Amino acid sequence: MLEKPIGHDLESARRINDEVGGVFAEEQIYRIDHYLGKETVQNLLALRFANSLFEPLWNSGHIDHVQITVAETVGVESRGGYYDTSGALRDMVQNHLMQLVCLVGMEPPVSLDKEAVRDEKIKVLRSLSPIGIENISTTTVRGQYRAGAVGGTAVRGYLEEEGIGSDSLTETFVALKAEVQNWRWSGVPFYLRTGKRMQEKVSEIVIQFRPIPHSIFPREAGETAPNRLVVRLQPDEAIGLHLIAKEPGPGGMRLREVPLNLSFAQTFKNRFPDAYERLLMDVVRGNPTLFMRRDEVEAAWIWVERILDAWASRSERPKPYIAGTSGPSQAIALIERDGRTWHDDPAFLA
Ligand code: BG6
């Protein structure tokens, strides 16, 4: 069993894979990405492939864009030595966020068989449109937190953390605009962001559907915001579908966005196993479906390394953001330039 990080770049990942592969056969190697063990992440498979409702709409004809946010309130804690050589892109995007992109973006596998699922995931990784020096400034934002307050408690800035050099250029936040270039997703941006010392801990996937083609309602009825499917991975695992409904009562047609919520805690009274618990049981049972195959790890590095190289060639300082906020303003500009906004509505899935 190997826990991430598997390498620091493509070359070191290949070296590790070669060394381990020299002793064990690929099917004996379990590369853990603990996000794949999270209940709601596995539920993405159920949502997409055990319901007939969504799959016909799951494409560029009906989806405007996808957002994936993994925000944390913690800082680097006692892991400064590791984190400062890593940064948010290596620590979170290369593995966890890319696995989420794969599960949202992949074609239906023929079965839940280990190779069937992983074969589909890797096709998504290979379809990611490259981000390099030519488009780095319009598709990525790096941030680094400054002193601030999280949940009412004052916290230090990244550069004051233990084990961090006072001139460190390591990013603690990253926002990206990725594109999966294939028939299903052509023209549908996947906006990704992750950061430490953010306002609240929340991981969610937002599928934003296209607006209605024509409104029959008068302007006074209110806006018909496009439908949105929100999969909240943590905390309070839930799936929410934002619909437009008429507000009850007289006074004409007043439209309002309302949630159709599925709270996992309220619906299922079962204990939620920890992600590692599930993954360790899978190792014992010999089921590698939820583990990363060698080619997946390397394909993810190929995409990420280009971004790292482009950043290195510019040696720009990461954009500062105050701890306890939602990241640097440039990340808001990244999505707003396209006429879209980040979904920041924590109260929605109560
Ligand atoms: C780890 C990262 O893989 O995931 C950490 O190395 C991060 O930096 C953690 O804090 C987040 O995991 P979770 O399950 O709390 O979202």
Side-chain angles (χ1 to χ4, degrees), residues 4 34-35 38 72 74 79 82-83 91-92 96 196 201 234:
K4 67 157 272 273
H34 78 283
Y35 266 60
K38 288 184 190 283
E72 299 185 89
V74 291
R79 301 160 73 222
Y82 150 74
Y83 195 87
D91 186 49
M92 296 295 286
H96 307 323
K196 298 220 177 270
K201 180 172 171 78
Q234 57 189 22

Side-chain angles (χ1 to χ4, degrees), residues 49-95:
F49 306 124
N51 295 288
S52 59
L53 195 60
F54 297 112
E55 209 42 36
L57 306 178
W58 212 259
N59 55 55
S60 61
H62 299 279
I63 294 179
D64 178 75
H65 72 276
V66 176
Q67 297 182 16
I68 301 182
T69 298
V70 178
E72 299 185 89
T73 50
V74 291
V76 290
E77 313 300 295
S78 55
R79 301 160 73 222
Y82 150 74
Y83 195 87
D84 206 37
T85 60
S86 169
L89 189 72
R90 287 187 174 94
D91 186 49
M92 296 295 286
V93 177
Q94 190 273 341
N95 33 77

Side-chain angles (χ1 to χ4, degrees), residues 5-38:
I6 297 175
H8 184 75
D9 52 17
L10 179 61
E11 204 219 310
S12 51
R14 280 192 174 138
R15 227 175 23 242
I16 294 170
N17 284 333
D18 283 344
E19 295 257 335
V20 179
V23 182
F24 298 102
E26 180 60 30
E27 61 271 20
Q28 295 175 300
I29 303 171
Y30 292 82
R31 297 180 191 83
I32 294 184
D33 182 314
H34 78 283
Y35 266 60
L36 292 178
K38 288 184 190 283

Side-chain angles (χ1 to χ4, degrees), residues 132-281:
I133 191 76
E134 61 296 346
N135 54 353
I136 194 87
S137 58
T138 51
T139 51
T140 72
V141 174
R142 309 171 72 224
Q144 193 184 66
Y145 63 82
R146 296 285 177 266
V150 176
T153 308
V155 295
R156 290 186 287 199
Y158 180 70
L159 299 177
E160 292 90 61
E161 299 274 20
E162 211 182 299
I164 307 298
S166 56
D167 56 351
S168 169
L169 294 180
T170 302
E171 80 284 354
T172 60
F173 172 97
V174 61
L176 298 172
K177 177 181 172 184
E179 288 193 42
V180 180
Q181 277 185 325
N182 60 19
W183 269 62
R184 185 186 283 265
W185 294 114
S186 179
V188 179
F190 281 60
Y191 298 98
L192 317 179
R193 61 179 172 163
T194 181
K196 298 220 177 270
R197 286 289 189 231
M198 313 250 322
Q199 208 163 2
E200 61 162 351
K201 180 172 171 78
V202 57
S203 302
E204 64 182 24
I205 300 170
V206 177
I207 311 292
Q208 172 84 56
F209 291 94
R210 289 192 181 280
I212 51 170
H214 166 72
S215 175
I216 61 166
F217 302 99
R219 190 180 296 250
E220 313 80 78
E223 233 197 294
T224 46
N227 297 131
R228 210 158 49 205
L229 177 71
V230 181
V231 180
R232 175 167 292 191
L233 310 178
Q234 57 189 22
D236 309 326
E237 292 86 343
I239 295 176
L241 188 58
H242 292 230
L243 301 174
I244 301 293
K246 177 192 172 297
E247 257 187 53
M253 181 64 84
R254 287 193 313 272
L255 300 175
R256 217 180 80 191
E257 191 174 33
V258 284
L260 206 60
N261 273 355
L262 166 65
S263 152
F264 284 84
Q266 280 165 24
T267 309
F268 303 102
K269 303 293 176 202
N270 323 23
R271 181 182 73 87
F272 279 43
D274 177 74
Y276 284 98
E277 213 178 314
R278 160 73 202 250
L279 294 176
L280 295 181
M281 276 312 292

